[in-house]
Amino acid sequence: MSLTDVGRVEDLDSFHTWLMTAVKRGPVAVITGKNGDMDTVGSAVALASSHPHLMACGLHLGRVAKRMVEHHRAPFRKLNHNHRSWPVDLAGIVVVDAAAESQTGLSLPDVPKCILDHHATNEWNLGENDIALRWEVKATTELVADYLFRYSESSLTPQVCEFLLAGLITDTGRFRHANHGSFSTAGSLIKHSNIDYQSFIQFIEEETISPSERGAILRGMNRAELTEAGPWSLVRTRCGTLEGKVASLLSSIGADAVVVTRQRDGQTRLTVRAPRSSVNHGLHLGEIMAEVASNIGGDGGGHDGAAGWSGSADPVAAESAFIDAVARTKRKK
């Protein structure tokens, strides 16, 4: 067993002790990141299945996550931005797939908390009763799967395995950004639950897009421009919806990175993608987005090849801050 494996086993043991102590005192909320993507929702739903005192909850369900929750009728409580009515006997919270409290979109209660995350950035302030497991994995569902295989294998029903696998598939970009650990976890989940992978991936990829959304995607593609940012070439555009889809489509044309800007209700959001070749040459989008947030406010972070920022800054200012940060990033040979 490697030192990394030993450290992860110790992490899981510590987490299990913390969690079992908490559920003995009362209910524990398993809170998702506010973007509601499949990794955060899959992690929350799967973990919550391991004990009746756990409840998955969060602000939003993304498209794939919503389909999965509805398909399996999974217990997930949607909260609103002004949510304050936490149970009086709430014993703790587990936050999955969020690098900061602001990334939950909620004002969290003053109870012991545990953070399960895999982002490169970290802005949590932990107290003496708090713990964090931050692993260098490609999806938080890998961490949750390891925990359930070790401590609650009976929870790994076919439905729970599908939630975990869906989070892994989507957060690795259909395994384009996967590593050996991602494939190992995926293989274990498929074998354990006897998932028909071909049918399952077809279900994951079946995304209903309305004519108006299809038009928005095409307009976003049509607005795309190539920009030089120091030693890097960027494709930039603006889009009113499905910016992640637009970014993924544009990332295949060969530029070093893609940035898609969206503004709605006074809020600006940047969605950025980069191929593995750019990451290998020194471009880390999660760190760059954290730098953008530090410079102009808002909330930013993510992975090396996929990240985001959101805030109240003007779209032009936000996009310029991102381009400037990229331009100052040295390109490794």
Side-chain angles (χ1 to χ4, degrees), residues 141-208:
T141 52
E142 291 185 57
L143 191 163
V144 175
D146 278 5
Y147 172 76
L148 295 179
F149 271 117
R150 183 171 177 81
Y151 281 106
S152 187
E153 191 167 341
S154 62
S155 301
L156 288 165
T157 62
Q159 294 79 11
V160 167
C161 288
E162 286 190 0
F163 269 97
L164 293 168
L165 183 61
L168 185 51
I169 290 171
T170 55
D171 234 42
T172 58
R174 295 356 182 222
F175 293 109
R176 288 193 299 273
H177 301 288
N179 58 17
H180 71 282
S182 311
F183 287 111
S184 177
T185 300
S188 296
L189 292 169
I190 292 169
K191 180 179 179 181
H192 180 81
S193 57
N194 197 28
I195 293 174
D196 181 344
Y197 181 76
Q198 291 181 338
S199 297
F200 184 63
I201 194 68
Q202 181 177 340
F203 172 79
I204 292 296
E205 293 180 342
E206 286 177 349
E207 186 172 5
T208 302

Short mmCIF file of all heavy atoms in Angstrom, two decimals, residues 141-208:
data_model
loop_
_atom_site.label_atom_id
_atom_site.label_comp_id
_atom_site.label_asym_id
_atom_site.label_seq_id
_atom_site.Cartn_x
_atom_site.Cartn_y
_atom_site.Cartn_z
N THR A 141 -17.17 12.10 -6.42
CA THR A 141 -17.80 10.78 -6.32
C THR A 141 -16.78 9.66 -6.13
O THR A 141 -17.11 8.61 -5.59
CB THR A 141 -18.66 10.47 -7.57
OG1 THR A 141 -17.89 10.67 -8.74
CG2 THR A 141 -19.89 11.34 -7.61
N GLU A 142 -15.54 9.87 -6.55
CA GLU A 142 -14.50 8.87 -6.30
C GLU A 142 -14.27 8.73 -4.79
O GLU A 142 -14.15 7.61 -4.27
CB GLU A 142 -13.19 9.27 -6.98
CG GLU A 142 -13.21 9.21 -8.49
CD GLU A 142 -11.85 9.51 -9.08
OE1 GLU A 142 -10.87 8.82 -8.74
OE2 GLU A 142 -11.76 10.45 -9.90
N LEU A 143 -14.21 9.85 -4.10
CA LEU A 143 -14.01 9.85 -2.65
C LEU A 143 -15.19 9.17 -1.95
O LEU A 143 -15.00 8.31 -1.08
CB LEU A 143 -13.83 11.30 -2.18
CG LEU A 143 -13.36 11.58 -0.76
CD1 LEU A 143 -12.87 13.03 -0.67
CD2 LEU A 143 -14.42 11.33 0.28
N VAL A 144 -16.41 9.55 -2.35
CA VAL A 144 -17.60 8.97 -1.71
C VAL A 144 -17.70 7.48 -2.01
O VAL A 144 -18.05 6.69 -1.12
CB VAL A 144 -18.87 9.71 -2.20
CG1 VAL A 144 -20.13 9.04 -1.65
CG2 VAL A 144 -18.82 11.18 -1.77
N ALA A 145 -17.36 7.08 -3.23
CA ALA A 145 -17.39 5.66 -3.57
C ALA A 145 -16.41 4.88 -2.69
O ALA A 145 -16.75 3.79 -2.18
CB ALA A 145 -17.06 5.46 -5.04
N ASP A 146 -15.21 5.41 -2.49
CA ASP A 146 -14.24 4.73 -1.63
C ASP A 146 -14.78 4.58 -0.21
O ASP A 146 -14.60 3.54 0.43
CB ASP A 146 -12.92 5.52 -1.59
CG ASP A 146 -12.03 5.22 -2.79
OD1 ASP A 146 -12.48 4.47 -3.68
OD2 ASP A 146 -10.89 5.74 -2.84
N TYR A 147 -15.43 5.64 0.28
CA TYR A 147 -16.00 5.57 1.62
C TYR A 147 -17.07 4.49 1.71
O TYR A 147 -17.09 3.69 2.66
CB TYR A 147 -16.58 6.93 2.04
CG TYR A 147 -17.34 6.85 3.35
CD1 TYR A 147 -16.65 6.76 4.56
CD2 TYR A 147 -18.73 6.82 3.37
CE1 TYR A 147 -17.34 6.65 5.76
CE2 TYR A 147 -19.42 6.72 4.56
CZ TYR A 147 -18.72 6.64 5.76
OH TYR A 147 -19.40 6.51 6.95
N LEU A 148 -17.98 4.46 0.76
CA LEU A 148 -19.08 3.50 0.81
C LEU A 148 -18.58 2.08 0.63
O LEU A 148 -19.06 1.14 1.30
CB LEU A 148 -20.13 3.84 -0.25
CG LEU A 148 -20.86 5.17 -0.05
CD1 LEU A 148 -21.87 5.40 -1.17
CD2 LEU A 148 -21.57 5.21 1.31
N PHE A 149 -17.61 1.86 -0.23
CA PHE A 149 -17.05 0.52 -0.39
C PHE A 149 -16.40 0.05 0.91
O PHE A 149 -16.44 -1.14 1.24
CB PHE A 149 -16.02 0.49 -1.52
CG PHE A 149 -16.61 0.20 -2.88
CD1 PHE A 149 -16.54 1.14 -3.89
CD2 PHE A 149 -17.22 -1.02 -3.14
CE1 PHE A 149 -17.08 0.88 -5.15
CE2 PHE A 149 -17.76 -1.30 -4.39
CZ PHE A 149 -17.69 -0.35 -5.39
N ARG A 150 -15.84 0.99 1.66
CA ARG A 150 -15.13 0.61 2.90
C ARG A 150 -16.09 0.46 4.08
O ARG A 150 -15.91 -0.45 4.90
CB ARG A 150 -14.07 1.67 3.22
CG ARG A 150 -13.23 1.35 4.46
CD ARG A 150 -12.06 2.32 4.59
NE ARG A 150 -11.28 2.08 5.80
CZ ARG A 150 -10.34 1.15 5.94
NH1 ARG A 150 -10.08 0.34 4.91
NH2 ARG A 150 -9.67 1.00 7.06
N TYR A 151 -17.09 1.33 4.17
CA TYR A 151 -17.89 1.37 5.40
C TYR A 151 -19.38 1.07 5.23
O TYR A 151 -20.06 0.81 6.22
CB TYR A 151 -17.78 2.76 6.05
CG TYR A 151 -16.51 2.94 6.83
CD1 TYR A 151 -15.49 3.73 6.35
CD2 TYR A 151 -16.34 2.29 8.06
CE1 TYR A 151 -14.32 3.89 7.07
CE2 TYR A 151 -15.17 2.44 8.78
CZ TYR A 151 -14.17 3.24 8.28
OH TYR A 151 -13.01 3.40 9.00
N SER A 152 -19.89 1.12 4.02
CA SER A 152 -21.32 0.91 3.85
C SER A 152 -21.60 0.28 2.48
O SER A 152 -22.37 0.81 1.67
CB SER A 152 -22.08 2.24 3.98
OG SER A 152 -23.46 2.04 3.97
N GLU A 153 -21.00 -0.87 2.24
CA GLU A 153 -21.14 -1.50 0.93
C GLU A 153 -22.60 -1.85 0.63
O GLU A 153 -23.01 -1.87 -0.54
CB GLU A 153 -20.26 -2.75 0.85
CG GLU A 153 -20.15 -3.32 -0.55
CD GLU A 153 -19.03 -4.34 -0.68
OE1 GLU A 153 -18.12 -4.36 0.19
OE2 GLU A 153 -19.07 -5.13 -1.64
N SER A 154 -23.38 -2.10 1.67
CA SER A 154 -24.79 -2.42 1.45
C SER A 154 -25.56 -1.25 0.86
O SER A 154 -26.64 -1.43 0.27
CB SER A 154 -25.45 -2.85 2.76
OG SER A 154 -25.42 -1.80 3.72
N SER A 155 -25.03 -0.03 1.01
CA SER A 155 -25.67 1.15 0.43
C SER A 155 -25.47 1.24 -1.08
O SER A 155 -26.19 1.99 -1.76
CB SER A 155 -25.11 2.43 1.06
OG SER A 155 -25.30 2.45 2.45
N LEU A 156 -24.51 0.50 -1.60
CA LEU A 156 -24.16 0.60 -3.01
C LEU A 156 -25.13 -0.23 -3.87
O LEU A 156 -24.77 -1.22 -4.49
CB LEU A 156 -22.71 0.15 -3.24
CG LEU A 156 -21.67 1.14 -2.71
CD1 LEU A 156 -20.30 0.49 -2.64
CD2 LEU A 156 -21.61 2.38 -3.60
N THR A 157 -26.37 0.21 -3.86
CA THR A 157 -27.38 -0.39 -4.72
C THR A 157 -27.08 0.00 -6.17
O THR A 157 -26.29 0.92 -6.43
CB THR A 157 -28.78 0.12 -4.35
OG1 THR A 157 -28.81 1.54 -4.56
CG2 THR A 157 -29.09 -0.19 -2.88
N PRO A 158 -27.70 -0.66 -7.15
CA PRO A 158 -27.49 -0.24 -8.55
C PRO A 158 -27.80 1.23 -8.77
O PRO A 158 -27.10 1.91 -9.53
CB PRO A 158 -28.45 -1.15 -9.32
CG PRO A 158 -28.55 -2.38 -8.49
CD PRO A 158 -28.50 -1.90 -7.07
N GLN A 159 -28.83 1.75 -8.10
CA GLN A 159 -29.19 3.16 -8.27
C GLN A 159 -28.11 4.09 -7.71
O GLN A 159 -27.73 5.08 -8.35
CB GLN A 159 -30.53 3.45 -7.58
CG GLN A 159 -31.73 2.74 -8.19
CD GLN A 159 -31.84 1.29 -7.76
OE1 GLN A 159 -31.14 0.84 -6.84
NE2 GLN A 159 -32.71 0.54 -8.42
N VAL A 160 -27.60 3.77 -6.53
CA VAL A 160 -26.55 4.58 -5.92
C VAL A 160 -25.29 4.53 -6.77
O VAL A 160 -24.63 5.55 -7.00
CB VAL A 160 -26.27 4.13 -4.48
CG1 VAL A 160 -24.98 4.75 -3.95
CG2 VAL A 160 -27.44 4.50 -3.57
N CYS A 161 -24.94 3.35 -7.27
CA CYS A 161 -23.77 3.22 -8.14
C CYS A 161 -23.93 4.06 -9.40
O CYS A 161 -22.96 4.64 -9.90
CB CYS A 161 -23.53 1.75 -8.50
SG CYS A 161 -22.90 0.75 -7.13
N GLU A 162 -25.14 4.15 -9.93
CA GLU A 162 -25.38 4.97 -11.11
C GLU A 162 -25.17 6.46 -10.80
O GLU A 162 -24.62 7.20 -11.62
CB GLU A 162 -26.78 4.73 -11.66
CG GLU A 162 -26.92 3.39 -12.39
CD GLU A 162 -28.24 3.27 -13.14
OE1 GLU A 162 -29.03 4.23 -13.11
OE2 GLU A 162 -28.45 2.22 -13.77
N PHE A 163 -25.60 6.90 -9.62
CA PHE A 163 -25.37 8.30 -9.24
C PHE A 163 -23.87 8.58 -9.17
O PHE A 163 -23.40 9.63 -9.64
CB PHE A 163 -26.03 8.60 -7.89
CG PHE A 163 -27.43 9.11 -8.02
CD1 PHE A 163 -28.51 8.24 -7.89
CD2 PHE A 163 -27.68 10.45 -8.26
CE1 PHE A 163 -29.82 8.71 -8.01
CE2 PHE A 163 -28.98 10.93 -8.38
CZ PHE A 163 -30.05 10.05 -8.26
N LEU A 164 -23.12 7.67 -8.57
CA LEU A 164 -21.68 7.87 -8.45
C LEU A 164 -21.00 7.83 -9.81
O LEU A 164 -20.13 8.66 -10.12
CB LEU A 164 -21.09 6.80 -7.53
CG LEU A 164 -21.50 6.88 -6.06
CD1 LEU A 164 -21.10 5.61 -5.32
CD2 LEU A 164 -20.87 8.10 -5.40
N LEU A 165 -21.38 6.89 -10.63
CA LEU A 165 -20.78 6.76 -11.96
C LEU A 165 -21.12 7.96 -12.83
O LEU A 165 -20.25 8.47 -13.57
CB LEU A 165 -21.26 5.47 -12.62
CG LEU A 165 -20.67 5.15 -14.00
CD1 LEU A 165 -19.15 5.01 -13.91
CD2 LEU A 165 -21.29 3.87 -14.56
N ALA A 166 -22.35 8.45 -12.74
CA ALA A 166 -22.75 9.61 -13.54
C ALA A 166 -21.92 10.84 -13.16
O ALA A 166 -21.49 11.61 -14.03
CB ALA A 166 -24.23 9.91 -13.35
N GLY A 167 -21.67 11.03 -11.87
CA GLY A 167 -20.83 12.14 -11.44
C GLY A 167 -19.42 12.03 -11.96
O GLY A 167 -18.80 13.02 -12.37
N LEU A 168 -18.91 10.81 -11.98
CA LEU A 168 -17.55 10.57 -12.47
C LEU A 168 -17.47 10.80 -13.98
O LEU A 168 -16.52 11.41 -14.48
CB LEU A 168 -17.14 9.14 -12.11
CG LEU A 168 -15.71 8.69 -12.43
CD1 LEU A 168 -14.69 9.67 -11.88
CD2 LEU A 168 -15.49 7.30 -11.86
N ILE A 169 -18.46 10.32 -14.69
CA ILE A 169 -18.48 10.47 -16.15
C ILE A 169 -18.52 11.95 -16.54
O ILE A 169 -17.75 12.41 -17.38
CB ILE A 169 -19.69 9.73 -16.76
CG1 ILE A 169 -19.50 8.21 -16.66
CG2 ILE A 169 -19.89 10.12 -18.22
CD1 ILE A 169 -20.74 7.42 -17.03
N THR A 170 -19.41 12.69 -15.92
CA THR A 170 -19.59 14.09 -16.32
C THR A 170 -18.44 14.98 -15.86
O THR A 170 -18.01 15.88 -16.60
CB THR A 170 -20.91 14.65 -15.77
OG1 THR A 170 -20.95 14.45 -14.34
CG2 THR A 170 -22.10 13.94 -16.39
N ASP A 171 -17.89 14.74 -14.67
CA ASP A 171 -16.82 15.62 -14.18
C ASP A 171 -15.49 15.37 -14.87
O ASP A 171 -14.61 16.22 -14.83
CB ASP A 171 -16.67 15.48 -12.66
CG ASP A 171 -16.76 16.83 -11.96
OD1 ASP A 171 -17.63 17.62 -12.34
OD2 ASP A 171 -15.95 17.09 -11.04
N THR A 172 -15.32 14.21 -15.47
CA THR A 172 -14.10 13.94 -16.24
C THR A 172 -14.30 14.23 -17.72
O THR A 172 -13.42 13.91 -18.53
CB THR A 172 -13.66 12.47 -16.07
OG1 THR A 172 -14.72 11.60 -16.51
CG2 THR A 172 -13.28 12.16 -14.64
N GLY A 173 -15.44 14.83 -18.09
CA GLY A 173 -15.69 15.09 -19.49
C GLY A 173 -15.75 13.83 -20.31
O GLY A 173 -15.10 13.70 -21.33
N ARG A 174 -16.58 12.88 -19.84
CA ARG A 174 -16.70 11.55 -20.49
C ARG A 174 -15.35 10.86 -20.52
O ARG A 174 -14.95 10.26 -21.50
CB ARG A 174 -17.25 11.65 -21.90
CG ARG A 174 -18.67 12.15 -22.17
CD ARG A 174 -19.53 12.46 -21.00
NE ARG A 174 -20.88 12.88 -21.44
CZ ARG A 174 -21.54 13.86 -20.91
NH1 ARG A 174 -21.00 14.56 -19.93
NH2 ARG A 174 -22.75 14.15 -21.32
N PHE A 175 -14.58 11.01 -19.41
CA PHE A 175 -13.28 10.38 -19.19
C PHE A 175 -12.14 11.01 -19.99
O PHE A 175 -11.02 10.48 -19.99
CB PHE A 175 -13.34 8.86 -19.46
CG PHE A 175 -14.20 8.12 -18.46
CD1 PHE A 175 -15.42 7.60 -18.84
CD2 PHE A 175 -13.79 7.97 -17.15
CE1 PHE A 175 -16.22 6.93 -17.93
CE2 PHE A 175 -14.57 7.31 -16.23
CZ PHE A 175 -15.80 6.78 -16.62
N ARG A 176 -12.37 12.13 -20.63
CA ARG A 176 -11.28 12.80 -21.34
C ARG A 176 -10.23 13.33 -20.36
O ARG A 176 -9.06 13.44 -20.72
CB ARG A 176 -11.82 13.95 -22.20
CG ARG A 176 -12.58 13.51 -23.43
CD ARG A 176 -12.81 14.69 -24.38
NE ARG A 176 -13.62 15.72 -23.76
CZ ARG A 176 -14.95 15.75 -23.76
NH1 ARG A 176 -15.63 14.77 -24.34
NH2 ARG A 176 -15.62 16.74 -23.20
N HIS A 177 -10.65 13.67 -19.14
CA HIS A 177 -9.71 14.18 -18.13
C HIS A 177 -9.49 13.17 -17.01
O HIS A 177 -9.09 13.53 -15.91
CB HIS A 177 -10.24 15.51 -17.55
CG HIS A 177 -10.46 16.57 -18.57
ND1 HIS A 177 -9.44 17.24 -19.20
CD2 HIS A 177 -11.61 17.09 -19.11
CE1 HIS A 177 -9.93 18.12 -20.05
NE2 HIS A 177 -11.24 18.04 -20.01
N ALA A 178 -9.77 11.91 -17.28
CA ALA A 178 -9.66 10.89 -16.25
C ALA A 178 -8.21 10.45 -16.05
O ALA A 178 -7.33 10.71 -16.88
CB ALA A 178 -10.52 9.68 -16.64
N ASN A 179 -7.97 9.79 -14.91
CA ASN A 179 -6.69 9.13 -14.68
C ASN A 179 -6.97 7.69 -14.25
O ASN A 179 -8.11 7.23 -14.29
CB ASN A 179 -5.87 9.89 -13.63
CG ASN A 179 -6.58 10.02 -12.29
OD1 ASN A 179 -7.55 9.30 -12.02
ND2 ASN A 179 -6.12 10.93 -11.46
N HIS A 180 -5.93 6.99 -13.83
CA HIS A 180 -6.11 5.57 -13.51
C HIS A 180 -7.09 5.38 -12.35
O HIS A 180 -7.85 4.41 -12.33
CB HIS A 180 -4.76 4.93 -13.17
CG HIS A 180 -4.19 5.37 -11.84
ND1 HIS A 180 -3.56 6.60 -11.67
CD2 HIS A 180 -4.18 4.77 -10.63
CE1 HIS A 180 -3.18 6.71 -10.42
NE2 HIS A 180 -3.54 5.64 -9.76
N GLY A 181 -7.10 6.32 -11.41
CA GLY A 181 -8.03 6.20 -10.28
C GLY A 181 -9.48 6.32 -10.73
O GLY A 181 -10.35 5.61 -10.22
N SER A 182 -9.72 7.22 -11.70
CA SER A 182 -11.08 7.39 -12.21
C SER A 182 -11.57 6.09 -12.86
O SER A 182 -12.70 5.65 -12.62
CB SER A 182 -11.12 8.51 -13.26
OG SER A 182 -10.49 9.67 -12.77
N PHE A 183 -10.72 5.49 -13.68
CA PHE A 183 -11.12 4.25 -14.36
C PHE A 183 -11.28 3.11 -13.37
O PHE A 183 -12.17 2.27 -13.51
CB PHE A 183 -10.09 3.89 -15.43
CG PHE A 183 -10.13 4.76 -16.64
CD1 PHE A 183 -9.10 5.65 -16.92
CD2 PHE A 183 -11.21 4.71 -17.51
CE1 PHE A 183 -9.14 6.46 -18.03
CE2 PHE A 183 -11.26 5.53 -18.64
CZ PHE A 183 -10.23 6.40 -18.90
N SER A 184 -10.43 3.10 -12.34
CA SER A 184 -10.54 2.05 -11.32
C SER A 184 -11.86 2.15 -10.58
O SER A 184 -12.56 1.15 -10.36
CB SER A 184 -9.37 2.16 -10.33
OG SER A 184 -9.49 1.19 -9.31
N THR A 185 -12.22 3.38 -10.19
CA THR A 185 -13.50 3.58 -9.49
C THR A 185 -14.68 3.22 -10.39
O THR A 185 -15.62 2.55 -9.96
CB THR A 185 -13.63 5.04 -9.02
OG1 THR A 185 -12.56 5.36 -8.13
CG2 THR A 185 -14.96 5.27 -8.31
N ALA A 186 -14.62 3.68 -11.64
CA ALA A 186 -15.70 3.37 -12.58
C ALA A 186 -15.85 1.86 -12.76
O ALA A 186 -16.97 1.33 -12.75
CB ALA A 186 -15.43 4.03 -13.93
N GLY A 187 -14.72 1.17 -12.91
CA GLY A 187 -14.77 -0.28 -13.07
C GLY A 187 -15.37 -0.97 -11.86
O GLY A 187 -16.16 -1.91 -12.00
N SER A 188 -15.01 -0.51 -10.67
CA SER A 188 -15.55 -1.11 -9.44
C SER A 188 -17.05 -0.92 -9.34
O SER A 188 -17.79 -1.83 -8.95
CB SER A 188 -14.86 -0.49 -8.22
OG SER A 188 -13.48 -0.78 -8.21
N LEU A 189 -17.53 0.29 -9.70
CA LEU A 189 -18.97 0.57 -9.63
C LEU A 189 -19.74 -0.26 -10.65
O LEU A 189 -20.81 -0.80 -10.35
CB LEU A 189 -19.22 2.06 -9.87
CG LEU A 189 -18.72 3.01 -8.79
CD1 LEU A 189 -18.79 4.45 -9.27
CD2 LEU A 189 -19.53 2.85 -7.51
N ILE A 190 -19.20 -0.36 -11.86
CA ILE A 190 -19.88 -1.13 -12.91
C ILE A 190 -19.93 -2.62 -12.54
O ILE A 190 -20.97 -3.27 -12.69
CB ILE A 190 -19.16 -0.93 -14.26
CG1 ILE A 190 -19.35 0.52 -14.73
CG2 ILE A 190 -19.69 -1.91 -15.31
CD1 ILE A 190 -18.48 0.90 -15.91
N LYS A 191 -18.82 -3.12 -12.04
CA LYS A 191 -18.76 -4.54 -11.67
C LYS A 191 -19.68 -4.83 -10.49
O LYS A 191 -20.41 -5.83 -10.48
CB LYS A 191 -17.32 -4.93 -11.33
CG LYS A 191 -17.16 -6.40 -10.94
CD LYS A 191 -15.71 -6.72 -10.63
CE LYS A 191 -15.55 -8.18 -10.23
NZ LYS A 191 -14.13 -8.51 -9.91
N HIS A 192 -19.65 -3.95 -9.48
CA HIS A 192 -20.44 -4.18 -8.27
C HIS A 192 -21.93 -4.21 -8.55
O HIS A 192 -22.67 -5.01 -7.98
CB HIS A 192 -20.13 -3.10 -7.23
CG HIS A 192 -20.88 -3.25 -5.95
ND1 HIS A 192 -20.48 -4.11 -4.95
CD2 HIS A 192 -22.02 -2.65 -5.51
CE1 HIS A 192 -21.33 -4.04 -3.95
NE2 HIS A 192 -22.28 -3.16 -4.26
N SER A 193 -22.38 -3.31 -9.44
CA SER A 193 -23.82 -3.17 -9.67
C SER A 193 -24.29 -3.76 -10.99
O SER A 193 -25.47 -3.71 -11.30
CB SER A 193 -24.20 -1.69 -9.63
OG SER A 193 -23.45 -0.97 -10.59
N ASN A 194 -23.34 -4.31 -11.76
CA ASN A 194 -23.68 -4.93 -13.05
C ASN A 194 -24.39 -3.93 -13.96
O ASN A 194 -25.38 -4.25 -14.63
CB ASN A 194 -24.55 -6.17 -12.84
CG ASN A 194 -24.57 -7.06 -14.08
OD1 ASN A 194 -23.62 -7.09 -14.86
ND2 ASN A 194 -25.66 -7.77 -14.27
N ILE A 195 -23.86 -2.69 -14.01
CA ILE A 195 -24.43 -1.66 -14.87
C ILE A 195 -24.15 -1.98 -16.34
O ILE A 195 -23.04 -2.36 -16.70
CB ILE A 195 -23.84 -0.28 -14.51
CG1 ILE A 195 -24.28 0.15 -13.11
CG2 ILE A 195 -24.25 0.78 -15.53
CD1 ILE A 195 -23.62 1.43 -12.63
N ASP A 196 -25.18 -1.85 -17.18
CA ASP A 196 -25.00 -1.93 -18.62
C ASP A 196 -24.45 -0.58 -19.07
O ASP A 196 -25.20 0.38 -19.28
CB ASP A 196 -26.33 -2.23 -19.31
CG ASP A 196 -26.21 -2.35 -20.83
OD1 ASP A 196 -25.19 -1.91 -21.38
OD2 ASP A 196 -27.15 -2.88 -21.46
N TYR A 197 -23.12 -0.48 -19.19
CA TYR A 197 -22.50 0.83 -19.40
C TYR A 197 -22.96 1.50 -20.68
O TYR A 197 -23.21 2.71 -20.69
CB TYR A 197 -20.97 0.68 -19.41
CG TYR A 197 -20.26 2.00 -19.61
CD1 TYR A 197 -20.17 2.91 -18.56
CD2 TYR A 197 -19.73 2.36 -20.85
CE1 TYR A 197 -19.56 4.14 -18.73
CE2 TYR A 197 -19.12 3.58 -21.03
CZ TYR A 197 -19.03 4.47 -19.97
OH TYR A 197 -18.43 5.69 -20.15
N GLN A 198 -23.10 0.76 -21.75
CA GLN A 198 -23.49 1.39 -23.01
C GLN A 198 -24.88 2.01 -22.92
O GLN A 198 -25.12 3.12 -23.40
CB GLN A 198 -23.44 0.36 -24.14
CG GLN A 198 -22.01 -0.08 -24.47
CD GLN A 198 -21.97 -1.09 -25.61
OE1 GLN A 198 -22.96 -1.76 -25.89
NE2 GLN A 198 -20.83 -1.20 -26.26
N SER A 199 -25.80 1.32 -22.28
CA SER A 199 -27.15 1.88 -22.11
C SER A 199 -27.11 3.07 -21.16
O SER A 199 -27.82 4.08 -21.37
CB SER A 199 -28.10 0.81 -21.56
OG SER A 199 -28.24 -0.25 -22.46
N PHE A 200 -26.28 2.97 -20.12
CA PHE A 200 -26.22 4.04 -19.14
C PHE A 200 -25.63 5.31 -19.73
O PHE A 200 -26.15 6.41 -19.52
CB PHE A 200 -25.41 3.60 -17.93
CG PHE A 200 -25.38 4.61 -16.82
CD1 PHE A 200 -26.54 4.98 -16.17
CD2 PHE A 200 -24.19 5.21 -16.43
CE1 PHE A 200 -26.53 5.93 -15.15
CE2 PHE A 200 -24.16 6.14 -15.42
CZ PHE A 200 -25.33 6.50 -14.78
N ILE A 201 -24.55 5.19 -20.51
CA ILE A 201 -23.94 6.39 -21.10
C ILE A 201 -24.89 7.02 -22.11
O ILE A 201 -24.94 8.24 -22.26
CB ILE A 201 -22.58 6.06 -21.75
CG1 ILE A 201 -21.80 7.34 -22.05
CG2 ILE A 201 -22.75 5.24 -23.01
CD1 ILE A 201 -21.33 8.08 -20.84
N GLN A 202 -25.70 6.20 -22.77
CA GLN A 202 -26.71 6.75 -23.68
C GLN A 202 -27.73 7.58 -22.90
O GLN A 202 -28.12 8.66 -23.33
CB GLN A 202 -27.41 5.62 -24.44
CG GLN A 202 -28.46 6.12 -25.43
CD GLN A 202 -29.10 4.99 -26.22
OE1 GLN A 202 -28.55 3.90 -26.32
NE2 GLN A 202 -30.27 5.25 -26.76
N PHE A 203 -28.14 7.09 -21.73
CA PHE A 203 -29.08 7.84 -20.90
C PHE A 203 -28.45 9.15 -20.44
O PHE A 203 -29.11 10.21 -20.45
CB PHE A 203 -29.48 7.00 -19.68
CG PHE A 203 -30.29 7.75 -18.66
CD1 PHE A 203 -31.64 7.96 -18.86
CD2 PHE A 203 -29.70 8.24 -17.50
CE1 PHE A 203 -32.40 8.66 -17.93
CE2 PHE A 203 -30.44 8.93 -16.56
CZ PHE A 203 -31.80 9.14 -16.78
N ILE A 204 -27.18 9.13 -20.03
CA ILE A 204 -26.50 10.33 -19.56
C ILE A 204 -26.41 11.37 -20.66
O ILE A 204 -26.56 12.58 -20.44
CB ILE A 204 -25.08 9.98 -19.04
CG1 ILE A 204 -25.16 9.16 -17.76
CG2 ILE A 204 -24.26 11.26 -18.79
CD1 ILE A 204 -25.80 9.87 -16.61
N GLU A 205 -26.16 10.92 -21.88
CA GLU A 205 -25.91 11.84 -22.98
C GLU A 205 -27.18 12.31 -23.68
O GLU A 205 -27.12 13.19 -24.52
CB GLU A 205 -24.95 11.21 -23.99
CG GLU A 205 -23.55 11.00 -23.41
CD GLU A 205 -22.60 10.38 -24.40
OE1 GLU A 205 -23.08 9.79 -25.39
OE2 GLU A 205 -21.37 10.46 -24.18
N GLU A 206 -28.31 11.69 -23.35
CA GLU A 206 -29.57 12.14 -23.94
C GLU A 206 -30.01 13.42 -23.24
O GLU A 206 -30.51 13.42 -22.13
CB GLU A 206 -30.66 11.07 -23.76
CG GLU A 206 -30.51 9.87 -24.68
CD GLU A 206 -31.57 8.83 -24.42
OE1 GLU A 206 -32.29 8.95 -23.40
OE2 GLU A 206 -31.66 7.88 -25.20
N GLU A 207 -29.78 14.52 -23.90
CA GLU A 207 -30.10 15.83 -23.31
C GLU A 207 -31.09 16.55 -24.20
O GLU A 207 -30.81 16.81 -25.38
CB GLU A 207 -28.83 16.66 -23.15
CG GLU A 207 -29.06 17.96 -22.41
CD GLU A 207 -27.75 18.66 -22.09
OE1 GLU A 207 -26.69 18.18 -22.52
OE2 GLU A 207 -27.80 19.68 -21.41
N THR A 208 -32.26 16.84 -23.67
CA THR A 208 -33.28 17.52 -24.44
C THR A 208 -32.98 19.01 -24.51
O THR A 208 -32.91 19.69 -23.48
CB THR A 208 -34.67 17.30 -23.81
OG1 THR A 208 -34.92 15.90 -23.75
CG2 THR A 208 -35.74 17.97 -24.64
#
